[in-house]
Amino acid sequence: MNRRVGYRAFARRLAVALSCVAVAAGSAQSAECMRGINLAGAEFGSLGQEYGTGYIYPSDKTIAYFKGKGFTGVRLPFLWERLQPKLYDKFNSAELKRLRAAVKAIRSAGMQVVLDPHNYGRYEDQLIGSDGVPQSAFADFWRRLAATFASQDGILFGLMNEPYGISAEDWLSAANSAISAIRQTGADNLILVPGTAWTGAHSWSGGDYGTPNASVMTGVTDPANNYAFEVHQYLDVDFSGKNDECSRAADAVKAITDMGNWLAAQGRRGFLGEFAVPTMPVCQQSLKDMVAVVESRPDVWLGWSYWAAGDWWKPSEPLNIQPTDTGDRPQMQTLQTYFADRKTCGG
């Protein structure tokens, strides 16, 4: 063996191992090796519905279940409008208290948290950058949220869930405004930056939504240089995650492979924020293949988070991995096998 090549291989394995140790310790600066779960519920319901009736944050029991299964992070969806009922105004104190409590419970379990305003680039159905929701309002929201959780260990800022119906150029401008506002608070938390077009990996470098994300989002400006691109990728016929099948699995896995190659070429990092398969046995190998692609490239991928679980999911929801009265769902059994086979990212 060439000694220089052998040293490089050893150094790479050591770096991966150290990054996983950092995650276990709860570093605010890194998400390397995150194996996450989206715990849905706080984004449920209609505005005006009461807490516990229209929406819910994850219970301690649910958090403990996923911690026990080996997950190291939680992507935590919630609604911008509930936290900030009026643009440019202070946060609702009761809702902020609930969000803080959920974050504390997840962190106390030793898992990282991705804060996820689950709004699709909108506020009360009005697009960010419109007259009703100026970019400055989005920046104000993030200035307030960042100040609340500034530089706290293990808390990552997901700028926005799946913006769509906005050009990549306009979205980049909004994202940079929010990033600037975050850094002005002194927060150095890692920021996850999506693209437009539902931030699909399959359409990152092409598609029918205008200038591709791949051509525009390299313009992200972060004074702290502590960000990663968040993409989502489902495996069904239209990559939406709305169909109870995984007929485009090969294409979806290739999309993640191609995304990893793009990240490497650009010297950027990425995070797979949503992906999922239904329960059919044919889809379980595809689930393992998707995770394997991400974990085989720790040089570019910080980790992943499966969609989804949460206390209020119905057992009939095909992508859900919230446990049932009879035990673990098939997707959880598949992921557990993967965890058992591969103890460390890149291993």
Side-chain angles (χ1 to χ4, degrees):
M1 178 186 293
N2 181 292
R3 291 191 176 187
R4 181 170 294 179
V5 173
Y7 173 78
R8 287 175 179 171
F10 170 76
R12 180 176 179 272
R13 289 194 298 269
L14 179 61
V16 170
L18 290 175
S19 69
C20 290
V21 171
V23 169
S27 169
Q29 302 307 312
S30 178
E32 278 88 350
C33 298
M34 182 190 286
R35 290 160 167 164
I37 179 68
N38 285 265
L39 291 185
E43 84 284 21
F44 284 8
S46 302
L47 295 177
Q49 289 185 300
E50 295 294 325
Y51 180 73
T53 300
Y55 70 104
I56 196 76
Y57 280 93
S59 66
D60 290 344
K61 180 179 179 181
T62 287
I63 293 169
Y65 169 80
F66 286 98
K67 170 62 177 178
K69 290 297 179 181
F71 287 80
T72 62
V74 171
R75 185 168 178 257
L76 185 64
F78 60 92
L79 289 184
W80 177 3
E81 298 92 341
R82 286 198 177 112
L83 189 57
Q84 189 179 39
K86 184 179 179 181
L87 293 177
Y88 301 106
D89 204 355
K90 63 183 180 181
F91 287 166
N92 177 278
S93 59
E95 196 61 26
L96 180 58
K97 183 177 180 180
R98 294 182 190 108
L99 178 60
R100 282 180 179 271
V103 169
K104 182 179 180 180
I106 295 165
R107 291 295 299 126
S108 295
M111 293 190 286
Q112 296 187 97
V113 184
V114 177
L115 297 177
D116 168 40
H118 212 78
N119 281 74
Y120 303 92
R122 288 156 171 76
Y123 181 96
E124 294 187 350
D125 293 326
Q126 296 183 80
L127 196 63
I128 294 171
S130 65
D131 291 342
V133 188
Q135 290 185 8
S136 58
F138 183 50
D140 173 80
F141 164 75
W142 266 111
R143 177 182 61 80
R144 296 173 188 274
L145 190 60
T148 302
F149 295 101
S151 303
Q152 293 184 28
D153 285 351
I155 300 178
L156 287 64
F157 296 161
L159 280 187
M160 175 57 59
N161 180 69
E162 296 187 351
Y164 75 93
I166 183 173
S167 70
E169 291 87 351
D170 287 346
W171 170 244
L172 174 65
S173 178
N176 279 338
S177 295
I179 292 169
S180 176
I182 289 169
R183 298 309 185 205
Q184 287 172 21
T185 69
D188 60 3
N189 308 58
L190 190 144
I191 299 172
L192 300 177
V193 184
T196 189
W198 293 275
T199 200
H202 65 276
S203 61
W204 190 262
S205 296
D208 58 359
Y209 56 89
T211 311
N213 288 316
S215 299
V216 174
M217 297 306 293
T218 54
V220 168
T221 301
D222 177 9
N225 194 31
N226 190 31
Y227 72 94
F229 290 113
E230 179 179 334
V231 295
H232 297 176
Q233 187 59 56
Y234 290 95
L235 294 79
D236 53 341
V237 65
D238 58 1
F239 302 126
S240 68
K242 296 180 179 179
N243 304 288
D244 190 8
E245 41 87 2
C246 58
S247 60
R248 299 288 299 278
D251 294 330
V253 172
K254 182 180 184 300
I256 295 300
T257 300
D258 292 345
M259 185 71 196
N261 292 336
W262 180 87
L263 290 166
Q266 299 296 326
R268 292 337 199 257
R269 301 178 296 173
F271 180 75
L272 179 57
E274 289 186 20
F275 67 105
V277 298
T279 59
M280 293 88 76
V282 70
C283 297
Q284 301 312 304
Q285 183 59 48
S286 300
L287 176 59
K288 291 187 71 173
D289 291 345
M290 180 75 82
V291 174
V293 169
V294 173
E295 294 213 5
S296 69
R297 294 293 306 271
D299 56 318
V300 292
W301 290 108
L302 301 180
W304 50 265
S305 58
Y306 182 94
W307 181 273
D311 294 84
W312 282 7
W313 280 120
K314 295 179 180 178
S316 58
E317 165 55 45
L319 306 183
N320 158 40
I321 60 170
Q322 186 75 10
T324 67
D325 292 339
T326 58
D328 294 344
R329 294 174 66 89
Q331 302 96 319
M332 176 60 79
Q333 295 170 15
T334 298
L335 290 173
Q336 281 298 110
T337 300
Y338 192 91
F339 287 175
D341 289 344
R342 298 170 66 102
K343 299 298 185 182
T344 59
C345 301

